Amino acid sequence: ESVEGGVHPSSLGGLGAPSPDPPRNKAKSGAKALYEQRKNFSRSSINSLTDTSQYQVEHLTTFVLDRKDGMITVDDGVRRLRLLDAKGKVWTQEMLLQVEDKAVSLIDLDLQNELENFPIGSVQHCQAVMNACSYDSILALVCKDSGQSKADLHLFQCDDIKANLIHLDVESAMIDAKGGKVKKRPETLK
C-alpha cells in the first residue's frame, strides 16, 4: 500500500486509462495545420498564374538619398546602417516584400494590408549586399516617385530567401518593364 495520497489505483474509475483527449488533439492538429501553412508561407510563395512572388523580410531602415548628407550610393546607406546598428538604433519590422510584373509592394504580415507600393517604373536601382555587417543578406531598393525630388533607399534583411535571389526577381521585373520581346522574369522565377 505505498500508493501516494492513499488513493488506490482501481478507485480512479478508469481515469488512468490512456483515453484520447479530443480537445487537446484538436488543438494539436490545428497547430500543426497552422505550422504547415506558415512553413509554406515563409518559403517564397510564387503564384505562377500572376507571377506574384512574396518574400518574408525585415525592413531595417529607409534613408533619403541626398548629396548634402553624404548619402549618394547604396554603400553609403549600408555604412550608415552599420553606425545605427552599433548604437542599437535599428528598429526592424517584419513584412512581406511582394514582387509583381508591375510593382514591388510591402505588405503587413498580420493584417495582410499593403504598407507601400512602388510601381516598377519608380524602382531606380536594386542591389543585394551580402555579409557587409551583422545584417548579412541586405536587399537595397532605391525608389523615386514622380512627385519626389529625392529618391528613397530602403534596406531589408532577407533571411528565408537570400537577398541575391530576391534581387534577381526584382531586377528581371525591371528589365521586362523596360520592354523587350522575351520576358526574363518567368525564367528567373523558375
Side-chain angles (χ1 to χ4, degrees):
E1 289 293 321
S2 63
V3 179
E4 278 181 327
V7 179
H8 199 273
S10 63
S11 67
L12 287 171
L15 280 177
S19 65
D21 182 358
R24 195 180 307 137
N25 279 3
K26 200 166 174 193
K28 215 184 204 159
S29 64
K32 182 159 174 43
L34 182 66
Y35 174 72
E36 287 301 331
Q37 274 177 319
R38 280 178 54 247
K39 207 162 69 174
N40 295 335
F41 194 62
S42 69
R43 295 200 187 115
S44 158
S45 48
I46 294 175
N47 179 335
S48 58
L49 291 173
T50 58
D51 281 342
T52 297
S53 42
Q54 290 188 334
Y55 307 97
Q56 197 163 328
V57 299
E58 267 184 295
H59 179 257
L60 301 173
T61 187
T62 297
F63 296 118
V64 176
L65 290 182
D66 190 345
R67 205 169 281 280
K68 286 205 300 285
D69 296 338
M71 184 70 71
I72 303 164
T73 65
V74 168
D75 289 344
D76 296 333
V78 171
R79 240 193 322 277
R80 184 80 52 90
L81 175 71
R82 276 207 295 263
L83 289 172
L84 287 174
D85 189 32
K87 294 178 180 167
K89 292 208 164 146
V90 179
W91 184 15
T92 67
Q93 182 183 357
E94 290 207 353
M95 55 184 65
L96 289 174
L97 184 127
Q98 179 170 292
V99 186
E100 297 165 278
D101 292 342
K102 302 274 184 286
V104 175
S105 46
L106 305 177
I107 294 167
D108 181 270
L109 262 182
D110 300 322
L111 302 172
Q112 293 293 303
N113 56 347
E114 196 174 83
L115 303 169
E116 195 144 14
N117 182 298
F118 310 109
I120 209 75
S122 72
V123 181
Q124 295 186 333
H125 180 65
C126 177
Q127 186 179 327
V129 185
M130 309 302 283
N131 305 312
C133 57
S134 61
Y135 298 107
D136 59 355
S137 174
I138 297 172
L139 181 77
L141 273 187
V142 177
C143 303
K144 182 174 180 286
D145 268 332
S146 49
Q148 287 178 289
S149 59
K150 297 183 174 76
D152 287 327
L153 166 62
H154 303 274
L155 298 177
F156 304 90
Q157 166 69 9
C158 314
D159 284 325
D160 285 355
I161 306 284
K162 292 299 176 197
N164 50 348
L165 296 173
I166 303 177
H167 160 252
L168 291 174
D169 187 1
V170 176
E171 188 109 294
S172 65
M174 288 165 71
I175 291 166
D176 287 352
K178 289 193 175 87
K181 288 190 181 68
V182 181
K183 294 283 185 220
K184 250 182 87 87
R185 192 154 177 262
E187 203 44 51
T188 303
L189 290 177
K190 274 186 196 142

